Amino acid sequence: GDYWINDGDAFATLEKGADYISFVGFDLNTTSGSGIIVYADHFTFDLGKIYNIGGKAAIHCPNYVRNLTVKNSEIFNCVDSCVLVNSNEPIDSWAQIPEHVAAKIPGNNVIENNYFHDFTLPDYFSSAISVTNDVGTRIAHNYFYQGGHGAIRYNCCIDIVIEYNVFDEIMTKTQ
């Protein structure tokens, strides 16, 4: 189906425990708030389209998400990030990174075969994909086109695989 959300927080919020949910062939057009906020494990977004996002992210995973899959989809016109993933609790200092992150449970998140374009407005420094405090995510076979800033941002992560992506006209608004 094709859904339009004028205002509010998000089209859907998947709370912790609402595991093994898939949105397949789903189109979402929104103007404010995030598209989908995910606290649940084993969420899949496949063969869909999310666009015109005014909130934090089209798919926003703020805490402890495992086995997120975003594939074969088109995500564009996002004010902030297209996909924002945080798989583990934050660290207290940079000195803790090796011990702290290595001890974390792998997120096993997969973001592949997607088309990200026209993301991030000039006044926002964000990326199409942003991964934080994560272990074991794979970002592959995506096409990034016309991004105002970076395409992929990762912070405090280990064992992240970024491969076979195509970047075209990225960082066009970065000075």
Side-chain angles (χ1 to χ4, degrees):
D2 190 7
Y3 294 90
W4 173 275
I5 305 298
N6 266 337
D7 52 22
D9 190 26
F11 168 76
T13 300
L14 305 177
E15 297 293 341
K16 193 76 177 158
D19 301 332
Y20 297 96
I21 294 178
S22 297
F23 287 10
V24 179
F26 189 86
D27 292 349
L28 175 62
N29 179 2
T30 184
T31 58
S32 68
S34 295
I36 303 168
I37 299 174
V38 181
Y39 294 97
D41 292 335
H42 301 276
F43 172 70
T44 298
F45 189 85
D46 187 9
L47 296 168
K49 181 171 26 174
I50 302 178
Y51 53 104
N52 298 330
I53 302 300
K56 191 71 176 167
I59 298 176
H60 182 195
C61 309
N63 292 314
Y64 321 124
V65 173
R66 306 277 183 269
N67 301 298
L68 168 83
T69 301
V70 179
K71 63 181 182 175
N72 307 316
S73 297
E74 179 181 10
I75 303 177
F76 61 99
N77 287 347
C78 298
V79 169
D80 204 326
S81 297
C82 295
V83 178
L84 180 62
V85 178
N86 183 16
S87 289
N88 286 289
E89 58 188 278
I91 61 171
D92 295 327
S93 73
W94 284 99
Q96 287 183 302
I97 290 175
E99 301 82 24
H100 184 86
V101 178
K104 294 301 173 187
I105 300 168
N108 296 322
N109 304 306
V110 176
I111 304 168
E112 65 183 5
N113 298 321
N114 298 293
Y115 177 33
F116 298 100
H117 63 93
D118 301 297
F119 52 89
T120 68
L121 293 178
D123 294 339
Y124 289 80
F125 188 77
S126 58
S127 303
I129 299 172
S130 183
V131 182
T132 304
N133 299 315
D134 191 42
V135 178
T137 287
R138 182 172 184 259
I139 302 169
H141 301 283
N142 297 292
Y143 182 63
F144 300 90
Y145 179 67
Q146 288 188 343
H149 300 290
I152 301 170
R153 179 178 187 204
Y154 56 95
N155 184 25
C156 299
C157 298
I158 61 171
D159 295 330
I160 303 295
V161 176
I162 301 172
E163 62 184 3
Y164 307 113
N165 295 288
V166 175
F167 305 94
D168 192 5
E169 294 188 37
I170 302 300
M171 300 184 77
T172 57
K173 305 294 183 199
T174 302
Q175 296 179 0

